[in-house]
Short mmCIF file of all heavy atoms in Angstrom, two decimals:
data_model
loop_
_atom_site.label_atom_id
_atom_site.label_comp_id
_atom_site.label_asym_id
_atom_site.label_seq_id
_atom_site.Cartn_x
_atom_site.Cartn_y
_atom_site.Cartn_z
N THR K 173 231.06 -275.70 1.63
CA THR K 173 231.17 -276.98 2.33
C THR K 173 230.74 -278.09 1.38
O THR K 173 230.37 -277.84 0.23
CB THR K 173 230.30 -277.01 3.61
OG1 THR K 173 228.93 -276.79 3.23
CG2 THR K 173 230.74 -275.91 4.58
N ASN K 174 230.76 -279.32 1.86
CA ASN K 174 230.55 -280.49 1.00
C ASN K 174 229.07 -280.71 0.68
O ASN K 174 228.33 -281.27 1.48
CB ASN K 174 231.15 -281.72 1.70
CG ASN K 174 231.15 -282.94 0.81
OD1 ASN K 174 230.40 -283.02 -0.16
ND2 ASN K 174 232.01 -283.89 1.14
N PHE K 175 228.67 -280.25 -0.50
CA PHE K 175 227.25 -280.38 -0.88
C PHE K 175 226.86 -281.85 -0.99
O PHE K 175 225.76 -282.25 -0.61
CB PHE K 175 227.01 -279.68 -2.22
CG PHE K 175 225.57 -279.72 -2.68
CD1 PHE K 175 224.65 -278.77 -2.23
CD2 PHE K 175 225.13 -280.72 -3.54
CE1 PHE K 175 223.32 -278.82 -2.64
CE2 PHE K 175 223.80 -280.78 -3.95
CZ PHE K 175 222.90 -279.82 -3.50
N GLY K 176 227.78 -282.68 -1.50
CA GLY K 176 227.49 -284.10 -1.68
C GLY K 176 227.14 -284.76 -0.35
O GLY K 176 226.15 -285.49 -0.24
N ALA K 177 227.96 -284.49 0.67
CA ALA K 177 227.72 -285.11 1.98
C ALA K 177 226.42 -284.59 2.58
O ALA K 177 225.64 -285.34 3.17
CB ALA K 177 228.89 -284.80 2.92
N TRP K 178 226.18 -283.29 2.38
CA TRP K 178 224.94 -282.68 2.90
C TRP K 178 223.72 -283.32 2.22
O TRP K 178 222.75 -283.68 2.87
CB TRP K 178 225.01 -281.17 2.62
CG TRP K 178 223.86 -280.37 3.15
CD1 TRP K 178 223.55 -280.13 4.45
CD2 TRP K 178 222.85 -279.69 2.37
NE1 TRP K 178 222.43 -279.35 4.54
CE2 TRP K 178 221.98 -279.06 3.28
CE3 TRP K 178 222.62 -279.55 1.00
CZ2 TRP K 178 220.89 -278.31 2.87
CZ3 TRP K 178 221.53 -278.78 0.59
CH2 TRP K 178 220.68 -278.18 1.51
N ALA K 179 223.83 -283.50 0.92
CA ALA K 179 222.71 -284.08 0.18
C ALA K 179 222.52 -285.56 0.56
O ALA K 179 221.38 -286.03 0.69
CB ALA K 179 222.97 -283.96 -1.33
N ARG K 180 223.61 -286.28 0.76
CA ARG K 180 223.48 -287.70 1.14
C ARG K 180 222.84 -287.84 2.50
O ARG K 180 222.02 -288.73 2.73
CB ARG K 180 224.87 -288.38 1.14
CG ARG K 180 225.38 -288.75 -0.23
CD ARG K 180 226.51 -289.76 -0.14
NE ARG K 180 227.63 -289.27 0.63
CZ ARG K 180 228.58 -288.46 0.16
NH1 ARG K 180 228.53 -288.07 -1.10
NH2 ARG K 180 229.57 -288.05 0.93
N GLN K 181 223.21 -286.93 3.43
CA GLN K 181 222.61 -286.99 4.76
C GLN K 181 221.09 -286.78 4.65
O GLN K 181 220.30 -287.50 5.27
CB GLN K 181 223.25 -285.92 5.66
CG GLN K 181 222.74 -285.94 7.10
CD GLN K 181 222.98 -287.28 7.79
OE1 GLN K 181 224.11 -287.77 7.82
NE2 GLN K 181 221.93 -287.90 8.32
N ALA K 182 220.72 -285.79 3.85
CA ALA K 182 219.28 -285.51 3.66
C ALA K 182 218.59 -286.72 3.03
O ALA K 182 217.49 -287.11 3.43
CB ALA K 182 219.10 -284.29 2.77
N ALA K 183 219.27 -287.33 2.05
CA ALA K 183 218.67 -288.49 1.38
C ALA K 183 218.54 -289.66 2.36
O ALA K 183 217.53 -290.36 2.37
CB ALA K 183 219.53 -288.89 0.18
N PHE K 184 219.57 -289.82 3.18
CA PHE K 184 219.52 -290.95 4.12
C PHE K 184 218.39 -290.78 5.13
O PHE K 184 217.69 -291.74 5.48
CB PHE K 184 220.88 -291.12 4.83
CG PHE K 184 220.95 -292.38 5.65
CD1 PHE K 184 220.97 -293.62 5.01
CD2 PHE K 184 220.94 -292.35 7.03
CE1 PHE K 184 221.01 -294.80 5.73
CE2 PHE K 184 220.97 -293.53 7.77
CZ PHE K 184 221.01 -294.76 7.12
N ASN K 185 218.19 -289.53 5.60
CA ASN K 185 217.07 -289.29 6.51
C ASN K 185 215.74 -289.68 5.85
O ASN K 185 214.86 -290.23 6.49
CB ASN K 185 217.04 -287.83 6.94
CG ASN K 185 218.20 -287.50 7.87
OD1 ASN K 185 218.78 -288.40 8.49
ND2 ASN K 185 218.57 -286.23 7.93
N ARG K 186 215.66 -289.38 4.56
CA ARG K 186 214.41 -289.72 3.86
C ARG K 186 214.30 -291.23 3.64
O ARG K 186 213.21 -291.79 3.61
CB ARG K 186 214.32 -288.96 2.55
CG ARG K 186 213.73 -287.60 2.82
CD ARG K 186 213.69 -286.66 1.70
NE ARG K 186 213.02 -285.45 2.15
CZ ARG K 186 213.59 -284.54 2.94
NH1 ARG K 186 214.83 -284.70 3.35
NH2 ARG K 186 212.92 -283.48 3.32
N ILE K 187 215.44 -291.87 3.47
CA ILE K 187 215.41 -293.34 3.34
C ILE K 187 214.88 -293.94 4.66
O ILE K 187 214.03 -294.83 4.65
CB ILE K 187 216.82 -293.89 3.02
CG1 ILE K 187 217.22 -293.47 1.59
CG2 ILE K 187 216.87 -295.41 3.16
CD1 ILE K 187 218.68 -293.72 1.24
N LEU K 188 215.36 -293.40 5.78
CA LEU K 188 214.88 -293.91 7.08
C LEU K 188 213.39 -293.65 7.24
O LEU K 188 212.64 -294.52 7.69
CB LEU K 188 215.67 -293.27 8.23
CG LEU K 188 217.15 -293.65 8.33
CD1 LEU K 188 217.82 -292.91 9.49
CD2 LEU K 188 217.34 -295.15 8.48
N ASP K 189 212.96 -292.41 6.89
CA ASP K 189 211.51 -292.09 6.95
C ASP K 189 210.71 -293.06 6.10
O ASP K 189 209.67 -293.56 6.52
CB ASP K 189 211.26 -290.67 6.40
CG ASP K 189 211.73 -289.61 7.38
OD1 ASP K 189 212.04 -289.98 8.52
OD2 ASP K 189 211.80 -288.44 6.97
N PHE K 190 211.23 -293.26 4.91
CA PHE K 190 210.54 -294.13 3.96
C PHE K 190 210.40 -295.54 4.55
O PHE K 190 209.35 -296.18 4.45
CB PHE K 190 211.33 -294.17 2.65
CG PHE K 190 210.74 -295.05 1.60
CD1 PHE K 190 209.75 -294.57 0.76
CD2 PHE K 190 211.16 -296.36 1.45
CE1 PHE K 190 209.19 -295.38 -0.22
CE2 PHE K 190 210.60 -297.18 0.49
CZ PHE K 190 209.61 -296.69 -0.35
N ARG K 191 211.48 -296.02 5.17
CA ARG K 191 211.43 -297.36 5.76
C ARG K 191 210.38 -297.43 6.86
O ARG K 191 209.66 -298.41 6.98
CB ARG K 191 212.81 -297.71 6.33
CG ARG K 191 213.86 -298.04 5.26
CD ARG K 191 215.26 -297.94 5.81
NE ARG K 191 215.43 -298.68 7.04
CZ ARG K 191 215.73 -300.00 7.09
NH1 ARG K 191 215.91 -300.66 5.98
NH2 ARG K 191 215.85 -300.61 8.25
N LYS K 192 210.32 -296.35 7.65
CA LYS K 192 209.32 -296.34 8.72
C LYS K 192 207.91 -296.36 8.13
O LYS K 192 207.03 -297.06 8.60
CB LYS K 192 209.50 -295.08 9.58
CG LYS K 192 210.57 -295.25 10.64
CD LYS K 192 210.68 -293.99 11.49
CE LYS K 192 212.07 -293.94 12.11
NZ LYS K 192 212.59 -292.60 12.22
N ARG K 193 207.72 -295.51 7.12
CA ARG K 193 206.40 -295.38 6.50
C ARG K 193 205.95 -296.67 5.84
O ARG K 193 204.84 -297.12 6.00
CB ARG K 193 206.46 -294.28 5.44
CG ARG K 193 205.91 -292.98 5.91
CD ARG K 193 205.68 -291.93 4.83
NE ARG K 193 206.26 -292.09 3.54
CZ ARG K 193 207.32 -291.41 3.10
NH1 ARG K 193 207.93 -290.56 3.89
NH2 ARG K 193 207.77 -291.57 1.88
N LYS K 194 206.87 -297.24 5.07
CA LYS K 194 206.48 -298.37 4.22
C LYS K 194 206.79 -299.72 4.85
O LYS K 194 206.29 -300.74 4.38
CB LYS K 194 207.24 -298.29 2.88
CG LYS K 194 206.94 -297.05 2.08
CD LYS K 194 205.69 -297.22 1.26
CE LYS K 194 205.43 -295.95 0.44
NZ LYS K 194 204.22 -296.06 -0.37
N GLY K 195 207.66 -299.68 5.86
CA GLY K 195 208.21 -300.93 6.39
C GLY K 195 207.17 -301.97 6.71
O GLY K 195 207.25 -303.11 6.26
#
Side-chain angles (χ1 to χ4, degrees):
Chain K
T173 60
N174 188 339
F175 182 85
W178 183 68
R180 281 197 301 279
Q181 183 59 54
F184 188 69
N185 290 339
R186 275 174 177 76
I187 291 169
L188 292 179
D189 286 350
F190 179 85
R191 286 162 51 85
K192 277 182 204 145
R193 260 192 345 256
K194 299 276 181 181

